[in-house]
Amino acid sequence: MPSTIRSPRPLDPVRDPVDPDVSARIDVLRAVLIGLIVLCHGGRYLGSELPFASPAAEFALTVVNRGLACVAVPLFFAISGYLLLRKLEATPVAYARLLRTKFMAIGVPLILFNAIWIAWVLCIGSIPMFGGRSFVLSAGIVPKLLGIGTAPFNYPLWFLRDLLVVFVAAPVFLVFFRRLPDLGLVLLGLAWFLETVDNEYSLAGFAFAFYAGGWLARRRANLRDTAGWDKWVLPLYAAATVVVGLQPWLGLEPYALAAFKKVYQMLGVAAFWCLSRRPWLRDSRLLHGLAAMSFFVFLTHEPTVSVLQAKLLTVWRPATTLTQLAAYPLVGVAAMAGLSLLGWGLAVYVPRLFAFLTGAPLRLRFERPPSERRPLCEAGKVAAGLETSAGEAGRE
């Protein structure tokens, strides 16, 4: 007799273009999240090289460093999964093409921007607050170049290394989409929460965020009309952010703190998405312009911010609450402004070099901002899986 057990409906690839509103919101979030990362790294001398002036200063900077900026990584993985897994086919040809394109888009910048600074410290000398010859040789040149068994020498690029690992695992996600789509989401979430680590970051967590992004895409979730989320997501995230700021005084056991931060990250992903629908963010020409340079800024912000921090401390050592709060964003803002201008210059005058540095196909060219609301520039979006804008999806 026929079985009465029905298999879950598979989540098939989505061929429709990405909603223009969703594409615009992804674009501005790239600028905002990279900005938070650069600010965080540019202000790390406060609390390390300089003690916090007061509990108020420590609270405010902990909110940014340990709270707001920490949402950037899972949200980037979720966006990458949403754009990449929405249409990826489970075929050898599609997988080979994925590995080839992502190595060029992510692997080449990862190796290049490690090799430059490894060669610098080996041949010229140490970089203040960044690293030196002994730091590289103690771990090994190849491990520091590729980030194998250790953080890459250019430490923020661990994100690219882990993103490549998640891309390699894409066939596993596609099997779950075909056979057990919802169970795959649950299992990856459990793997993230139950692993015995005292840190909210892990490959299991990145895989969960990546899979969740693809799951939402293939479920054809309505990510455009999210106004109804605001009334509960934003207040909860605000309250949780206050708890994050108080963590130096709460004395939470490491595993409990990591579990709380995982919940905080998921809530933060929803909150940032809610905020991105606001016209002052979604329609900001400044943010769309900065988004065009965001990947270049990410690749080059170290050791830029390290050098700027060292220079700043030679002329100014802020010692009061107000001066520390004022000094905190200086290095990050200066780095973003200078590197964005450098990126714009490279994109305009040597577009092939800019495309190579940012992992974009050489066919891409820097374009002037269009009149309609859409990403300003394709170059740099290929990296981190963010290459599919509404227009590109329509062409494919």
Side-chain angles (χ1 to χ4, degrees), residues 42-43 45-46 312 316 318 322-332:
Y45 67 96
L46 293 169
L312 177 65
W316 186 33
L322 289 179
T323 56
Q324 287 192 350
L325 293 179
Y328 175 77
L330 285 182
V331 169

Side-chain angles (χ1 to χ4, degrees), residues 80-136:
S80 297
Y82 179 83
L83 295 175
L84 183 97
L85 295 178
R86 65 185 283 112
K87 61 182 179 180
L88 185 65
E89 297 278 8
T91 66
V93 173
Y95 183 57
R97 184 169 57 249
L98 168 72
L99 295 184
R100 182 177 66 253
T101 58
K102 295 309 174 187
F103 175 76
M104 294 303 298
I106 300 172
V108 170
L110 168 66
I111 294 172
L112 177 64
F113 283 92
N114 272 317
I116 290 171
W117 302 118
I118 289 175
W120 180 283
V121 299
L122 292 180
C123 301
I124 298 178
S126 299
I127 301 173
M129 301 181 70
F130 185 71
R133 181 185 180 89
S134 61
F135 180 63
V136 173

Side-chain angles (χ1 to χ4, degrees), residues 158-171:
W158 65 263
F159 168 75
L160 302 184
R161 175 202 61 193
D162 288 3
L163 189 59
L164 278 174
V165 173
V166 172
F167 283 145
V168 169

Side-chain angles (χ1 to χ4, degrees), residues 274-286:
C274 285
L275 290 172
S276 70
R277 74 175 183 85
R278 305 302 173 94
W280 55 273
L281 271 178
R282 184 194 60 205
D283 302 334
S284 169
R285 290 185 62 82
L286 174 62

